[in-house]
Amino acid sequence: MKSALHNMNPAAKFIVITICMLTMAFFFNPWTPLLMWIGVLFIQLLFSRIDWKLWILFMIPFFIMAFGYFWTTLVFAEDKSGPVVLSIWSINITEIQLNHALSISFRVLAFSGLSLLFALTTNPVSFILSLMQQLKLSPKIAYSILVGYQFLPVLKDEFVQIQQAHRLRGAMQAKSVFHRLFHMRKILLPMLAGAVRKAERAAFAMEARGFTGEKRKSFYKVFSVCRLDGYLVSLFMLLLVVSCMSALYMN
Amino acid sequence: MREVIQFDNVSFRYPDDEKWIFEDLSFSVGKGEKVVITGPSGSGKTTMLYLCNRLYPENCDGIVKGSVVLFDKSSQSYSPGEVNHRIATVFQDPDAQFCMMTVEEELAFTLENLNVDRKEMDGRIEEVLELTGLTKFRHSVIQQLSGGEKQRIAIVCALIMDPEVLLLDEPISHLDPFTAKQFISWLDELQQERSLTILAIEHRLDLWGDFFNREIQLERINDANPMSKRISSRQEHQSLDVSGVSTGAFLKDVSFTLDRGEVAVLAGPNGSGKSTLLKALCKLIPADGTVRPSNLGYVPQTPEFLFVTKTVRDEIAYGGGTHAEELLDRLHLAAIADANPFAVSHGQKRRVAIASMLCDGREIIFMDEPTSGQDAASLVELFRLIDERAREGTTFLIVTHDMEFAFHVADSILLMKNGILTGKYDANQVWRDEELLSNHHLLQPKGWVEHEVCFA
């Protein structure tokens, strides 16, 4: 039960989350995104074992963003008609203004909640493999992404090494953030040159293993769509319908 | 004997180059043979290997004259990827030949490419790991394995295709001598068990013993080894004093001293902490203990990591030293003073790196693995560079696996194991002591054995 979201077929998860996001884009009211966000939170509480500390950390920027949207829409609204419901200092806020502001900020929360649900419960390698098996993504693209992913730790090592070498030469002592950013260019250039060389080698290595980029007939790790995926997709759809209907009901 | 690879008057050049990489090359490799290709850097060894597995000319639009025949069929008549499972390749760089996270996934990737039935996959993976004695690595993450282990896994990935021919591109250049020896005898057993044909590129044959049946030289190498044993330039004046250097849990309490003009080699098994020690001494990673003086020079394995400017002259003067012009002359860099340091040859890059260290007043220079992947000519160049500088009073501490090179260049040897400095020894004492050497995964250099015979 607790691992249901982690075991869900990544491609199915991807599709259902994309559908939720696209549908929500057509509903401009505070209730739909709010309900969606709360629903997503509950689904995660029940069906996943994600690290909630990490979740909060990732959510912080989105909370700030949501509040920013809320405030700016409230203060700089164009449509200031309708009854005043609230006044802060000397600013009078009408119902329409408040509605707009809330729908925009809840939207930010709902979208980020959905994305985080996907990101925190999906293994990137499984996702790519599943895209290849369920959604017929070309192996050429799929394996390029996977190889790139393998190179990340190597590139990180290289970055640290160049940084150390530059520090030794006294090239990293620039205090200001601007200078540091400017200096990044000098670290990234040799890395870029090295990356091109590595990419060629990796491509050769793949071809030497008989990789041609054609559609493959058999997979070692098979990702299939099973009953669990059906249940979870229905759950998401139910949540989507409920949150969309709520708009009609509330208005 | 059946011929598996046949070159008939083959010439090759890249489309943008006027010059042929090699011309009118003819040779053939029979089934079950073990053949080595030798030649200096730039003589086209790797290019030739890529012609054998059909990576070239397709992938570089190269121009080929003559005919390459693989298994009695012209190489052009195969479609891409078709011949690769019969002629498998192991590349030189252990970091850039894997696509997946774990060993199992990597092997499965290879089988998927060959459209092997899913039911068979498990059995084949198990079988090949059993055969090679690497079953314990089945679920290991490849990037966390050591260089020697990665190189073995690369061979396993090649073997799982059931190839008839194995192409090896300098397979031992990243391994310490002991691990390399082990690897070679392991390969020898495999070859006999599977009756493989092996075609390898290598520029140093010392460690291979009588593994190969035949040698093909692409270009004549200067046989007379111009590297002779250095005459020590050690002076009675201490230049470096290291005491109690340690980092966290790994490096433990390292103390030693070096003299002016001394050339010391730091050796030990893969992963014994040699590079970590160099970095700790230069304060590139946090470390306890004292190092005097604190102004130390460091040349990483890739010297261009140090470069921050656009010309060699600026590069040398970058640290604010005033005698850049003089150093340009002394290190024979005047001719390329206005060139971009990223665009000069590898040997020159190293020269520039050393010059810029000296210009900063860093008279003690640490070099990390300057010998790996270098051919005979560039080793001689490196030897001369170190010799010249040492005679002018520079102190060197060099990390290397190459005991031939160490034998020629070193006054003293520092041995390391598991993050502990075993001790600093006089070079001749180390070469004599086979037990001490094998304890540190090292082998007696051939130069020393000959030397002994001469004086016996």
Side-chain angles (χ1 to χ4, degrees), chain A residues 7 18 65 80 114 119 249:
Chain A
N7 293 340
T18 314
M65 217 164 102
K80 286 185 177 163
L114 277 167
Y249 184 75

Side-chain angles (χ1 to χ4, degrees), chain A residues 25-128:
Chain A
F26 293 102
F27 287 80
F28 196 71
N29 67 72
W31 299 107
T32 307
L34 178 64
L35 276 178
M36 180 55 91
W37 187 57
I38 294 171
V40 164
L41 277 185
F42 268 108
I43 290 179
Q44 276 183 105
L45 272 174
L46 289 173
F47 301 111
S48 78
R49 23 182 181 76
I50 60 166
D51 182 357
W52 286 95
K53 256 190 222 152
L54 197 69
W55 183 85
I56 290 172
L57 206 70
F58 278 127
M59 259 332 251
I60 288 173
F62 293 111
F63 279 128
I64 295 172
M65 217 164 102
F67 183 75
Y69 276 126
F70 176 75
W71 188 243
T72 44
T73 327
L74 213 54
V75 177
F76 302 111
E78 240 174 49
D79 188 356
K80 286 185 177 163
S81 55
V84 174
V85 283
L86 201 69
S87 59
I88 307 167
W89 297 305
S90 58
I91 308 165
N92 293 327
I93 291 157
T94 65
E95 197 183 332
I96 291 176
Q97 261 172 299
L98 188 67
N99 265 345
H100 282 188
L102 281 177
S103 23
I104 287 187
S105 53
F106 285 148
R107 219 177 235 209
V108 171
L109 292 183
F111 278 108
S112 52
L114 277 167
S115 319
L116 274 183
L117 176 140
F118 183 77
L120 292 178
T121 62
T122 314
N123 175 338
V125 176
S126 314
F127 177 51
I128 300 291

